Structures are given as C-alpha cells and as structure tokens.
Amino acid sequence: MSTTTGTPAAPVTPSRTYPRRASLAVLCAGALMTILDGSIVTVAMPAVQRDLGFSGPGLAWVVNAYLIPFGGLLLLFGRLGDLVGRKRMFTAGLALFTAASVACGLATGQGALIAARAVQGAGGAMTSAVVLGMLVSLFPEPREQGRAIAVFSAVGAVGATLGTFLGGALTQALSWHWIFLINLPIGLAAWLAAVRILAPEPGAGLRRGADGPGAALVTGALMLTVYVIVGSGDRSPAATWLLAALALALLVAFTVRQARAEHPLLRLRLLRSRTLSGANGVQVLLIATMYGFQFIGALYIQRVLGYDELRTGLAFLPAPLAIGALMLGLSARATARFGAYRVLLAGLVLVTAGMALLSRAPADGSYAADVLPPMLLMAAGFAAAMPPLTGLAMAGAREEDAGLASGLFNTTQVVGGSLGLAALSTLAASRTDGLLHAGAELVPATAEGYRLAFRVAAVIAAGALALAAAALRPGRA
C-alpha cells in the first residue's frame, strides 16, 4: 500500500535562479534559528533571573512566552502559507523573528523580555509552519526527498541540542543578552538569501480557505493546550483540569466548524490518513522522551554531577555530533534500503534502550560511565527515527495541504516537547520533595527524582515504539 493519498505533490521546478540545494540551505538556516531558541535559553536562565529579578515561577515565562504562541499558531500559519504563498510566509516569519530577537537582547525589564519572547514565538511559528511543505515540493522524487529530509532533520536535531552548549558558552563568555542578539546577523543573512534564492510559490488565495472563526477556535485551543501543559506545575489540579476542559471544548467546536464550513481551515479528510495521524502520534511520544533527556539530563549533570554551565554544554556536544553524522551519512541510505518503517522501529528501540539505561544513573555516578553511553544510544536512535518519521507524516498529505501538514507536524512536536517537559519535571520534583521530607540528603534525593523521570520517559519511548509498529506498518488499511 502506498503511503501517499490523493494527488501527488506538484514539484517546484528548479532553475539557475532557484537552485534546490541552496534553497534547502536557506530553509535549514531559518529552521535552525527557531529550533536553537527553544533550548539556548535553558542554561542562561539563572543569569537572566539574577539580572532582571525574576521570581522562580516568573522565570518560567521566559520559556513559556515563546512556546505558547509558537505551538498555538503553527497550524494557522501552515494553512495561511498554502493560501498566501509559502515563501511569503517564510520570509515574513524570518523578519519578525529576527526583529523580536533584537528586542529580547536589548530588554532591560521582565515585561519587555516576556513580550518580545511572545513575538519571537509568533515569528518562529510563521517560519517553521511552512518549511516541510516547501521541502517536499522542492524534492518530489523519493530518494532525493529522503536525503533532503535527512539533512533538514539533522539540522533540527543538532540545533536543539547545540543550543544547550551555545547558551552556556555565550552567557559565560559575554552575557545572556547575546543568546538573542546573535540571531541578528544570522537572521538578516537568512532573510536576504531567502528573498533571492527561494522560488516564489503563489498561494491559492485567501478566498479558498480564510475561515476566520475556525482560525480563532483552533488557535485558542492550541495556545490554551500549550499553556495548560507548560504551566501545570504552577497552579492547582482543579484549575488545570478546568483549563484543559475549556481547551477540549474549543477543539470540539473547531471540529464541528470544519465539518460544516464552506472553506474550512483544516480539511478533516487529512486526519483520516492513517500514515499522517500515526506519524504525528508517534512524534508526540518520541519528542516527549527526548525533551525529558535534554532538560532532565542537563539538570542531573549540573545538580548531581556538579558541572557548571559551560561544562554542561560541552557534555551534551557528543549528541548533536552523533546525530548530525548519522543522519547525513546513513539515514537516507538506510531508509532507501530497508524502508522507512523498519528504520523507524530500529531507531525507537535504541531510544527506549538508552533511556532505560539512563534511568540507572546513581547519585555518585560519572559522566563517562552513566551519561555518555545512553546519550549516544539515544542520539543514534533519534538519528535513525526522525527522518523516516518526517517523510511518513508528509507523505500522507496532498500538495494543496502540504503547508497545513507541515504546520500540524511542527505543532505535535511542540506539544510533545511541552508535555514531556512538564510531566517529567513535575514527577522528578515531587519524588525529590517527598524524599527530602522523609529525611533523605539533597543529592541522593535529587538523583532519585531524576531516575524516576527517566524510567517514565523509557515507558513513553516504548509507547512510541508500540504505536509505530501498530499504526505505520506498510500495507495496513
């Protein structure tokens, strides 16, 4: 059974004016900025808190103010990219993201930084929402598309982990302001290159799908969902459940609206693709696992092993190097030889095994024995799994829905990461607090909290493996 439904994608014909490899480089550069910004701030948080006087709960909004508009607007901007033109959406997003980055870097107060981070999240959503749709149009032939997706996935994976290193290095060498100001030259160069190199893609026109009420409902539902997830540790369970029920009600109202609207924002037939829906479900669980590793792992290295910001960043460097090398060197060839399904399952097995191994890290552990081996296992697994997973998700969409499918895939990535971070960090903190109240010492209690989070993350990874095996098997109706 083919993984493609409906009309095959109409390729963007390359020419000397619009070379495909240069276009791929521009798309990767734009995506890299937004992905870096999701993690680069993590290590710099203590410095931001000292400089601007944030409280503990208030400091979380330096991250949340970015994640909420980013996750909430991806689906809307993906559809708008189909309607007004994906190049136009991509370049506008780059400009907005770069300007907001400068505002973040120049911020001297809490409100200014949080507001600028929110605008930055909106710009990141505009850019990210259409990238995969542009990529599959540029490379319609399966083998070339597999290589292009491998390159793009490698850039994304490396950027997510490299942000931890760059955040520590820039903060320690200069100041936290430079984790944002560094986006100015990168963003300006990427915008100029995008304007000159990317082929224009005329959209279908706003009259073909400008569903204002539907856009308001889905954007509200998604932003509220991300808000519920990322802020769950700062409110009562009753308030969390009430907000979750409201988000669900908005989502149901959106679904009803799409079934009845003359020009729906989201064609519900898109979700009937088993391949697309299954791939997005697997991604939620996989990204939740990897975010657990990235953030809880960084805390283990700092608070249990005693590393400072720069050494923590250096400790994570083997992961992006391994991911980049494996994705660029082996992933596309392995997928072409063994098929996306088998390579995806093999990668998920490695991720599950690596997280299970990490869950044994003791209070008196060492980086070389207890962190590096599982880190490399998870890096290899992620490098194997992510490119075929991306290809499967995009194969389930028609050309006219490519931007929407791209926005949906990025949305589930943000939701999965937010959910994993909120759930695993809450579990770790609760376990540690319980042990401290029972009289345990700080470091052993902290280590046990992190081990619990890693064990749960291993179960989540196993769930991703089971879902992929059941939902994405070739030939299943």
Side-chain angles (χ1 to χ4, degrees):
M1 171 182 166
S2 171
T3 56
T4 305
T5 61
T7 307
V12 175
T13 304
S15 66
R16 292 179 182 177
T17 308
Y18 307 114
R20 291 191 298 173
R21 290 186 179 179
S23 298
L24 176 61
V26 171
L27 294 176
C28 287
L32 179 63
M33 278 205 313
T34 60
I35 292 167
L36 274 173
D37 239 70
S39 58
I40 197 171
V41 73
T42 306
V43 180
M45 295 282 269
V48 174
Q49 186 175 26
R50 288 192 301 268
D51 193 13
L52 299 185
F54 277 100
S55 65
L59 185 64
W61 283 100
V62 178
V63 175
N64 297 347
Y66 180 83
L67 286 178
I68 291 171
F70 186 91
L73 294 170
L74 278 166
L75 192 60
L76 172 61
F77 286 141
R79 184 57 182 160
L80 287 177
D82 290 334
L83 300 178
V84 305
R86 295 174 201 145
K87 176 181 178 179
R88 184 177 299 173
M89 183 63 65
F90 182 81
T91 53
L94 280 179
L96 184 62
F97 183 89
T98 303
S101 296
V102 174
C104 288
L106 298 178
T108 57
Q110 298 179 15
L113 179 59
I114 290 174
R117 285 286 281 169
V119 177
Q120 198 182 29
M126 293 173 70
T127 300
S128 301
V130 296
V131 167
L132 287 176
M134 299 174 76
L135 190 149
V136 297
S137 294
L138 279 167
F139 299 92
E141 195 274 321
R143 186 178 294 271
E144 287 188 334
Q145 188 178 109
R147 285 196 292 265
I149 287 176
V151 171
F152 179 79
S153 299
V155 169
V158 169
T161 311
L162 194 59
T164 306
F165 166 71
L166 289 177
L170 289 171
T171 301
Q172 195 156 316
L174 299 170
S175 73
W176 65 264
H177 298 275
W178 284 95
I179 66 175
F180 300 114
L181 293 176
I182 196 172
N183 286 332
L184 176 60
I186 299 173
L188 184 59
W191 183 85
L192 290 172
V195 170
R196 292 176 58 89
I197 293 173
L198 294 180
E201 294 187 13
L206 288 174
R207 289 179 295 179
R208 293 285 302 276
D211 178 17
L217 287 169
V218 73
T219 302
L222 289 172
M223 293 182 75
L224 187 55
T225 297
V226 178
Y227 172 70
V228 168
I229 293 169
V230 299
S232 59
D234 300 327
R235 67 177 77 93
S236 68
T240 296
W241 282 109
L242 179 62
L243 291 172
L246 178 58
L248 180 61
L250 290 174
L251 190 59
V252 170
F254 168 73
T255 304
V256 172
R257 166 75 187 179
Q258 298 314 286
R260 298 178 178 178
E262 182 180 359
H263 298 296
L265 178 67
L266 171 62
R267 297 181 180 93
L268 295 181
R269 60 169 168 76
L270 187 68
L271 300 180
R272 291 197 291 268
S273 166
R274 174 183 57 84
T275 302
L276 184 146
S277 298
N280 277 279
V282 170
Q283 179 176 231
V284 169
L285 300 177
L286 174 59
I287 298 300
T289 302
M290 296 306 294
Y291 262 59
F293 158 68
Q294 182 177 337
F295 289 96
I296 307 298
L299 292 175
Y300 174 84
I301 291 173
Q302 287 182 297
R303 295 180 177 176
V304 177
L305 301 186
Y307 284 33
D308 62 17
E309 291 92 345
L310 183 57
R311 289 183 68 201
T312 300
L314 288 171
F316 271 87
L317 268 185
L321 294 177
I323 289 171
L326 290 171
M327 279 188 177
L328 296 177
L330 295 176
S331 181
R333 284 183 289 175
T335 300
R337 180 173 179 180
F338 300 108
Y341 176 73
R342 292 179 179 176
V343 175
L344 172 61
L345 293 188
L348 293 174
V349 167
L350 291 176
V351 170
T352 304
M355 189 57 77
L357 185 61
L358 187 61
S359 69
R360 302 174 60 189
D364 58 349
S366 70
Y367 170 76
D370 300 299
V371 177
L372 184 59
M375 176 191 293
L376 293 178
L377 268 180
M378 284 184 284
F382 190 75
M386 201 61 194
L389 185 63
T390 305
L392 288 169
M394 295 305 296
R398 299 178 182 178
E399 164 61 19
E400 65 266 25
D401 295 324
L404 179 59
S406 173
L408 179 63
F409 193 70
N410 282 287
T411 298
T412 58
Q413 192 172 84
V414 174
V415 170
S418 301
L419 180 60
L421 177 59
L424 295 174
S425 60
T426 300
L427 279 172
S430 298
R431 177 61 172 160
T432 298
D433 288 344
L435 291 172
L436 290 174
H437 290 153
E441 295 183 1
L442 177 60
V443 173
T446 302
E448 177 56 33
Y450 296 152
R451 281 198 297 271
L452 174 61
F454 293 142
R455 287 194 292 270
V456 173
V459 173
I460 295 173
L465 175 60
L467 179 59
L472 299 178
R473 185 168 68 246
R476 180 171 176 177

